[in-house]
Amino acid sequence: MSAYSTEEIEYARIWLQLGPNQEIEELTVQKIKAGTLINPNDETSAIYPEDVIQLTDSRLVDGSITYSSNGNGSINLYNVPLRWDSSTENGDESFMKGYTEKVIEEKEVIDIDSGNDQDVIRLIQLLNIH
């Protein structure tokens, strides 16, 4: 495992533990800066309070994992949809602001397991980092 960076190992371990599908073709890593809109398609959206990472597969059906690392083996997991519907819910223009603020408030701290080295390496080999 020493051939891989701490970040690469982290990405793979998180997908291994939380990824909805382990039979993926590619593990895409998107780094998102603090201050970025949670819903990039809606300017009423709340913003990320910290830098986060979004892990996805090349297929939308496999979902995504959006998190920040705590540097101690745990992460802050944000329940962010991969695809967004319209910002207005029943004509309520403030819906998206409230929804995305709730995403921040309800982040969950999760301890990440070290996982099986062979599985971690297999996922590292699928990484596509942006």
Side-chain angles (χ1 to χ4, degrees), residues 22-130:
Q22 297 302 309
E23 300 301 320
I24 60 174
E25 297 174 10
E26 177 179 86
L27 181 54
T28 302
V29 179
Q30 181 75 36
K31 298 176 181 183
I32 303 170
K33 293 284 187 196
T36 301
L37 294 171
I38 293 173
N39 177 349
N41 304 321
D42 191 322
E43 59 192 43
T44 66
S45 170
I47 60 171
Y48 286 107
E50 59 188 342
D51 292 351
V52 296
I53 303 291
Q54 187 173 64
L55 303 176
T56 59
D57 178 30
S58 56
R59 300 177 307 171
L60 292 177
V61 69
D62 290 328
S64 67
I65 300 168
T66 303
Y67 75 95
S68 66
S69 178
N70 293 319
N72 63 0
S74 73
I75 63 168
N76 297 318
L77 181 64
Y78 293 93
N79 185 18
V80 178
L82 187 54
R83 296 187 62 168
W84 293 91
D85 290 330
S86 171
S87 65
T88 56
E89 181 80 6
N90 299 324
D92 182 359
E93 293 293 331
S94 65
F95 172 78
M96 187 55 64
K97 181 172 176 35
Y99 181 86
T100 53
E101 285 174 350
K102 199 170 186 178
V103 165
I104 300 299
E105 292 166 11
E106 294 180 355
K107 74 180 177 198
E108 185 178 355
V109 178
I110 302 219
D111 291 322
I112 298 301
D113 301 327
S114 56
N116 174 295
D117 285 356
Q118 290 176 328
D119 291 335
V120 170
I121 291 169
R122 178 183 60 81
L123 286 170
I124 288 173
Q125 293 170 342
L126 300 175
L127 286 175
N128 178 6
I129 301 172
H130 294 273

